[in-house]
Amino acid sequence: MSKILVISGHPNLSESNANTTVIETLLSRHDDVAIRRLDSLYGEKQIDIVSEHEALLSASVVVLQFPFYWYSVPALMKRWIDEVLSYNFAYGPKGDKLANKHLILSVTVGGPEEAYSPLGYNHFSVEEFLRPLEQTAYLAKMQYHRPIYSHRMVYIEGVYNELSDVQNRAVEHGERLAAKIADLLHSPESIIKQFVNKWFDKLDSLSEKTEAFLPHLSKQLVLCLP
């Protein structure tokens, strides 16, 4: 199974200039990547919850790759979120299966950057519109990272943007995504943070056995507990 899991929520990825290029760029930079194309896997069909859970459990980094539809995710990805991030899997008393996994939102935005500002016609920033997904990550105890997004990622022949410009922006977007994932998986800071998170999670439900903690403690350490 792959450490990097990309959930592609485009309803017709084959016809996407931007999302296809982003994914291809990521695949050229990382070997251990699994792509879950929701459009070809399911479309109108029932989602295989077991398969989706297995893919998520094996991953260290989860990327939600999607075009910005009406300030949110496409309907197919919303259905995936509703059904796959289920009770006692992603949340609830036993819902810790995604804890400490990295989540990155990778978003292609059609409109220009200036439209997503208080004086723009959309009034709010892209990151503000993505707050519900950020809270979803917190509820699932995932490590949420600042989303990666690019503007003017739609090509309409003779009307809006040049195809080469959109593709170039998509390559740059994919490069940023690949670099962020490399940092999360391989930088010393990320490795230490991951270790600390797992170590302290064990303190929430202490067992009688202490072997899991002792090998990482200095022999000179003295604990004074009430």
Side-chain angles (χ1 to χ4, degrees):
M1 296 298 235
S2 300
K3 284 187 176 181
I4 305 165
L5 177 65
V6 178
I7 307 297
S8 169
H10 197 291
N12 193 350
L13 186 61
S14 299
E15 295 186 2
S16 170
N17 297 304
N19 281 257
T20 300
T21 303
V22 170
I23 291 173
E24 289 175 349
T25 303
L26 177 62
L27 287 170
S28 71
R29 299 294 182 268
H30 288 279
D31 295 326
D32 200 10
V33 182
I35 310 295
R36 305 286 293 177
R37 278 190 57 173
L38 300 185
D39 62 330
S40 59
L41 283 171
Y42 305 117
E44 298 298 325
K45 295 185 297 184
Q46 184 175 352
I47 292 176
D48 185 342
I49 307 299
V50 173
S51 294
E52 298 304 313
H53 282 181
E54 289 176 350
L56 286 166
L57 289 172
S58 70
S60 298
V61 178
V62 179
V63 177
L64 298 188
Q65 176 67 49
F66 60 94
F68 210 37
Y69 275 23
W70 284 104
Y71 315 113
S72 186
V73 299
L76 181 57
M77 177 163 279
K78 181 60 167 65
R79 182 158 66 94
W80 182 91
I81 292 171
D82 290 345
E83 296 181 20
V84 174
L85 304 187
S86 53
Y87 183 73
N88 276 342
F89 179 80
Y91 70 100
K94 300 179 181 178
D96 59 353
K97 308 304 185 295
L98 301 178
N100 293 321
K101 294 182 184 293
H102 299 286
L103 178 66
I104 303 175
L105 307 180
S106 176
V107 191
T108 57
V109 183
E113 184 176 1
E114 58 269 21
Y116 291 86
S117 66
L119 298 180
Y121 58 80
N122 288 320
H123 302 295
F124 303 98
S125 70
V126 171
E127 292 188 39
E128 288 177 297
F129 283 121
L130 294 174
R131 291 296 188 200
L133 292 176
E134 181 177 354
Q135 173 55 29
T136 299
Y138 295 150
L139 182 64
K141 301 182 180 68
M142 302 181 79
Q143 296 187 49
Y144 182 82
H145 299 277
R146 186 172 183 178
I148 294 174
Y149 56 92
S150 300
H151 294 278
R152 297 184 181 274
M153 295 291 269
V154 171
Y155 167 64
I156 304 175
E157 186 176 3
V159 177
Y160 187 61
N161 290 322
E162 296 294 329
L163 178 57
S164 60
D165 292 337
V166 171
Q167 291 173 330
N168 288 337
R169 283 192 284 270
V171 169
E172 190 273 337
H173 180 120
E175 296 281 6
R176 284 190 287 136
L177 177 60
K180 178 62 177 178
I181 292 173
D183 180 68
L184 292 177
L185 291 177
H186 305 301
S187 74
E189 180 181 358
S190 294
I191 293 172
I192 292 172
K193 282 184 177 180
Q194 194 79 355
F195 165 75
V196 170
N197 286 335
K198 290 181 179 179
W199 200 86
F200 276 98
D201 277 348
K202 295 177 182 177
L203 294 175
D204 292 336
S205 56
L206 286 173
S207 67
E208 295 182 359
K209 298 181 179 180
T210 59
E211 290 81 0
F213 299 100
L214 297 180
H216 307 292
L217 295 177
S218 169
K219 294 181 179 179
Q220 299 176 344
L221 178 67
V222 177
L223 294 178
C224 298
L225 302 176

